[in-house]
Amino acid sequence: MRTPVCIIGAGPAGLVLARLLELEGIDSVVLERRDRAHVERRVRAGLLEQGTVETLRRAEAAARLDREGLVHEGFELRVDGDPYRLPFAKLTGANVWMYGQQEVVKDLIAARTAGPGRLHFGVDDVTVARLGSDGATVRCTLDGRPAEITCDFVAGCDGFHGVSRAAAPEGAATGHAYSYPYAWLGVLAEAPPLSSELIYAVGERGFALQSMRSTTISRLYLQVPTDEPVDARSDEEVWQELDLRLTGGTGALPTGRILERSFVPLRSFLCEPMQFGRLFLLGDAAHIVPPSAAKGLNLAVADAELLAGALAVWYGSGRREPLDSYSATALRRAWLGQEFSRWMTDLLHTAPGGTAFDRGLARARFDHLTGSTAAATDFAEQYVGLARR
Ligand code: FAD
Ligand code: DHB
């Protein structure tokens, strides 16, 4: 099989890239290891920056998002019970949208499969067999049979545990990794959110986040120890702890059936460079951020938009400068995303063994944010993604 661009992985990065290329008239093949139902049901991110929404509109996959997505203009920070609202839309002119990643993925798959573009699920044994200066060869098992795909370019969109990054030439890639000394337990629940805006709650018992997927479905997170099994707490214990951290134990937090639980390790990872000749890395294949600032999906979509534009220039006019600068441009954004994610993670969490001095410093960081419009505007610009554009 021959294609200009072979895309490994049908997460947000791979699917957005495939759609944008298709709309530019550039053919590609997408190879996804899991089956369609699995990919469409995987509960993960939920906060879309305005720039991400605009990219999804350009990909012609945002009709349902525009109908059903919840537009947010601010969020609440609760520190030891004291509320502070960050009106990011007023400060920056930009909104964010709450809309589940699995819904984004469903919409992109529907758009892709409605057209002639190839998207294969259940593809095993994907390897980049040849990476040359003139093109590449990818091998896999497709419908139970060995297959070979020759292409001009490979887009590695296969997440942190994928095979693409390992296809970089020996010694060419440098990985930076950091693990945080706490994790999150995420739950999706059939319960209306406590408030129409997100609540990031910080206190002595640890961090908690009230988010949502709709007016009837909540997404909640609890800071937990890194070695806590995902089912260590009963549903009742999860609700009780969330209520303690979010409302001070008033019982005001609406509860309901827990539909899904996930354990989320908090870590940072960045691979430099993000480009090895004709192999490009996008999204989680190149960088992981802790979820605190909700940047992972947004960075993945930004990578896809950048590479799609560079490939359009290459196929349109033969100019290769945008392709050659892909890594430098994507890395600059990825580092900014890393820095803000690290900053926000530090802001929201006290590490186990934290002292009264650490809590005093944390309190001072909040006092600075809540007391200074300049500090709040800086935070808001980074939160909505304007600072990386
Ligand atoms: P993925 O979504 O991981 O997609 C990679 C795809 O490649 C998968 O479909 C996988 O099955 C496939 N694949 C893997 N290996 C192979 C192989 N060998 N061959 C073929 N296919 C392969 N980000 C935000 O921006 N906002 C948030 O609010 C947010 N919240 C989060 C909450 C949680 C609980 C978690 C876990 C993450 C969150 N993130 C958030 C991060 C976000 O989900 C990821 O950054 C995003 O999924 C990255 O997209 P991707 O396309 O790069 O990778
Ligand atoms: C969500 C996750 C986050 O980490 C965040 O900062 C905001 C929202 C979410 O999954 O809804």
Side-chain angles (χ1 to χ4, degrees), residues 44-47 98 184 198 200 209 211-213 219 221 291-294 344 383:
R44 292 174 88 185
L47 186 152
M98 300 311 301
W184 283 9
L198 269 55
Y200 294 86
L209 167 59
S211 180
M212 67 216 54
R213 294 294 175 266
R219 179 71 170 153
Y221 298 97
S292 325
M344 192 155 160
Y383 187 80

CSV table of all heavy atoms in Angstrom, one decimal, residues 44-47 98 184 198 200 209 211-213 219 221 291-294 344 383, ligand 2:
chain,number,residue,atom,x,y,z
A,44,ARG,N,-11.1,10.7,29.2
A,44,ARG,CA,-9.9,11.4,29.5
A,44,ARG,C,-10.2,12.9,29.6
A,44,ARG,O,-10.9,13.3,30.5
A,44,ARG,CB,-8.8,11.0,28.5
A,44,ARG,CG,-8.4,9.6,28.5
A,44,ARG,CD,-7.5,9.2,27.5
A,44,ARG,NE,-6.1,9.4,27.8
A,44,ARG,CZ,-5.1,9.2,27.0
A,44,ARG,NH1,-5.3,8.8,25.8
A,44,ARG,NH2,-3.8,9.4,27.3
A,45,ALA,N,-9.6,13.6,28.7
A,45,ALA,CA,-9.7,15.1,28.9
A,45,ALA,C,-11.1,15.6,28.7
A,45,ALA,O,-12.0,14.9,28.2
A,45,ALA,CB,-8.7,15.7,27.9
A,46,GLY,N,-11.3,16.9,29.1
A,46,GLY,CA,-12.6,17.5,28.9
A,46,GLY,C,-12.5,19.0,28.7
A,46,GLY,O,-13.6,19.6,28.4
A,47,LEU,N,-11.4,19.6,28.8
A,47,LEU,CA,-11.3,21.1,28.7
A,47,LEU,C,-10.6,21.4,27.3
A,47,LEU,O,-9.5,21.1,27.1
A,47,LEU,CB,-10.5,21.6,29.9
A,47,LEU,CG,-10.5,23.2,30.0
A,47,LEU,CD1,-10.4,23.6,31.4
A,47,LEU,CD2,-9.3,23.8,29.2
A,98,MET,N,-16.1,22.9,27.7
A,98,MET,CA,-16.1,21.6,28.4
A,98,MET,C,-16.8,20.6,27.4
A,98,MET,O,-18.0,20.8,27.1
A,98,MET,CB,-16.8,21.6,29.7
A,98,MET,CG,-16.2,22.6,30.8
A,98,MET,SD,-14.4,22.4,30.9
A,98,MET,CE,-14.3,20.7,31.4
A,184,TRP,N,-3.8,11.3,40.9
A,184,TRP,CA,-5.2,11.7,41.0
A,184,TRP,C,-6.1,10.4,40.8
A,184,TRP,O,-5.7,9.5,40.0
A,184,TRP,CB,-5.6,12.6,39.8
A,184,TRP,CG,-5.2,14.1,40.0
A,184,TRP,CD1,-4.4,14.6,41.0
A,184,TRP,CD2,-5.6,15.2,39.1
A,184,TRP,NE1,-4.3,16.0,40.8
A,184,TRP,CE2,-5.0,16.3,39.7
A,184,TRP,CE3,-6.4,15.3,38.0
A,184,TRP,CZ2,-5.2,17.6,39.1
A,184,TRP,CZ3,-6.6,16.5,37.4
A,184,TRP,CH2,-6.0,17.7,37.9
A,198,LEU,N,-16.0,25.3,36.9
A,198,LEU,CA,-15.1,24.4,37.6
A,198,LEU,C,-14.6,24.9,38.9
A,198,LEU,O,-14.5,26.1,39.1
A,198,LEU,CB,-13.8,24.2,36.7
A,198,LEU,CG,-13.8,23.0,35.7
A,198,LEU,CD1,-15.0,23.1,34.8
A,198,LEU,CD2,-12.5,23.0,34.9
A,200,TYR,N,-11.5,24.4,41.5
A,200,TYR,CA,-10.2,23.8,41.9
A,200,TYR,C,-10.1,24.1,43.4
A,200,TYR,O,-9.9,25.2,43.8
A,200,TYR,CB,-9.1,24.5,41.2
A,200,TYR,CG,-9.0,24.2,39.7
A,200,TYR,CD1,-9.8,25.0,38.8
A,200,TYR,CD2,-8.3,23.2,39.2
A,200,TYR,CE1,-9.7,24.8,37.4
A,200,TYR,CE2,-8.2,23.0,37.8
A,200,TYR,CZ,-8.9,23.8,36.9
A,200,TYR,OH,-8.9,23.6,35.6
A,209,LEU,N,-10.9,18.5,42.4
A,209,LEU,CA,-11.4,19.3,41.2
A,209,LEU,C,-12.8,18.9,40.9
A,209,LEU,O,-13.1,17.7,40.7
A,209,LEU,CB,-10.5,19.1,40.0
A,209,LEU,CG,-11.0,19.6,38.7
A,209,LEU,CD1,-11.3,21.1,38.6
A,209,LEU,CD2,-9.9,19.2,37.6
A,211,SER,N,-15.2,19.1,37.9
A,211,SER,CA,-15.4,19.5,36.5
A,211,SER,C,-16.7,18.8,36.0
A,211,SER,O,-17.5,18.2,36.9
A,211,SER,CB,-14.2,19.0,35.7
A,211,SER,OG,-14.4,19.4,34.4
A,212,MET,N,-16.9,18.8,34.7
A,212,MET,CA,-18.2,18.3,34.2
A,212,MET,C,-18.1,18.0,32.8
A,212,MET,O,-17.2,18.4,32.1
A,212,MET,CB,-19.3,19.4,34.4
A,212,MET,CG,-19.1,20.6,33.5
A,212,MET,SD,-19.5,22.2,34.2
A,212,MET,CE,-18.7,22.3,35.7
A,213,ARG,N,-19.0,17.2,32.3
A,213,ARG,CA,-19.2,16.9,30.9
A,213,ARG,C,-20.5,17.4,30.3
A,213,ARG,O,-20.7,17.5,29.2
A,213,ARG,CB,-19.1,15.4,30.6
A,213,ARG,CG,-17.7,14.8,31.0
A,213,ARG,CD,-16.6,15.3,30.0
A,213,ARG,NE,-15.3,14.9,30.4
A,213,ARG,CZ,-14.5,15.5,31.1
A,213,ARG,NH1,-14.8,16.7,31.6
A,213,ARG,NH2,-13.3,15.1,31.4
A,219,ARG,N,-17.4,15.3,36.3
A,219,ARG,CA,-16.1,14.7,36.3
A,219,ARG,C,-15.4,15.3,37.5
A,219,ARG,O,-15.2,16.5,37.6
A,219,ARG,CB,-15.4,15.1,35.0
A,219,ARG,CG,-14.0,14.5,34.8
A,219,ARG,CD,-14.0,13.1,34.6
A,219,ARG,NE,-12.7,12.6,34.2
A,219,ARG,CZ,-12.3,11.3,34.4
A,219,ARG,NH1,-13.1,10.5,35.0
A,219,ARG,NH2,-11.1,10.9,34.0
A,221,TYR,N,-12.0,14.9,40.4
A,221,TYR,CA,-10.7,14.4,40.7
A,221,TYR,C,-10.3,14.6,42.1
A,221,TYR,O,-10.7,15.7,42.7
A,221,TYR,CB,-9.7,15.0,39.8
A,221,TYR,CG,-9.8,14.8,38.3
A,221,TYR,CD1,-10.5,15.8,37.5
A,221,TYR,CD2,-9.4,13.7,37.7
A,221,TYR,CE1,-10.6,15.6,36.2
A,221,TYR,CE2,-9.5,13.5,36.3
A,221,TYR,CZ,-10.2,14.5,35.5
A,221,TYR,OH,-10.3,14.3,34.2
A,291,PRO,N,-2.1,16.5,34.4
A,291,PRO,CA,-3.4,17.0,33.9
A,291,PRO,C,-3.9,18.3,34.6
A,291,PRO,O,-4.8,18.9,34.0
A,291,PRO,CB,-4.4,15.9,34.3
A,291,PRO,CG,-3.7,15.2,35.4
A,291,PRO,CD,-2.3,15.3,35.2
A,292,SER,N,-3.2,18.8,35.6
A,292,SER,CA,-3.7,19.9,36.4
A,292,SER,C,-4.2,21.1,35.5
A,292,SER,O,-5.2,21.7,35.8
A,292,SER,CB,-2.6,20.5,37.3
A,292,SER,OG,-1.9,19.4,37.8
A,293,ALA,N,-3.4,21.5,34.5
A,293,ALA,CA,-3.7,22.7,33.7
A,293,ALA,C,-4.5,22.3,32.4
A,293,ALA,O,-4.8,23.1,31.6
A,293,ALA,CB,-2.5,23.4,33.4
A,294,ALA,N,-4.8,21.0,32.3
A,294,ALA,CA,-5.6,20.5,31.1
A,294,ALA,C,-5.0,20.9,29.8
A,294,ALA,O,-5.7,21.3,28.9
A,294,ALA,CB,-7.0,21.1,31.2
A,344,MET,N,1.1,25.1,37.7
A,344,MET,CA,-0.2,25.0,38.2
A,344,MET,C,-0.3,23.7,39.1
A,344,MET,O,-1.0,23.7,40.1
A,344,MET,CB,-1.2,24.9,37.1
A,344,MET,CG,-2.7,25.0,37.6
A,344,MET,SD,-3.8,25.6,36.3
A,344,MET,CE,-5.3,25.1,36.9
A,383,TYR,N,-3.9,29.8,31.0
A,383,TYR,CA,-5.0,28.8,31.2
A,383,TYR,C,-5.8,28.6,29.9
A,383,TYR,O,-6.0,27.5,29.5
A,383,TYR,CB,-5.9,29.3,32.3
A,383,TYR,CG,-6.9,28.3,32.7
A,383,TYR,CD1,-6.6,27.2,33.5
A,383,TYR,CD2,-8.2,28.4,32.3
A,383,TYR,CE1,-7.6,26.3,33.9
A,383,TYR,CE2,-9.2,27.5,32.7
A,383,TYR,CZ,-8.9,26.4,33.5
A,383,TYR,OH,-9.8,25.5,33.8
B,2,DHB,C1,-10.6,18.5,33.5
B,2,DHB,C2,-9.3,18.1,33.8
B,2,DHB,C3,-8.4,19.0,34.3
B,2,DHB,O1,-7.2,18.6,34.7
B,2,DHB,C4,-8.7,20.3,34.4
B,2,DHB,O2,-7.7,21.2,34.8
B,2,DHB,C5,-9.9,20.8,34.0
B,2,DHB,C6,-10.8,19.9,33.5
B,2,DHB,C7,-11.6,17.6,33.0
B,2,DHB,O3,-11.3,16.4,32.8
B,2,DHB,O4,-12.8,18.0,32.9
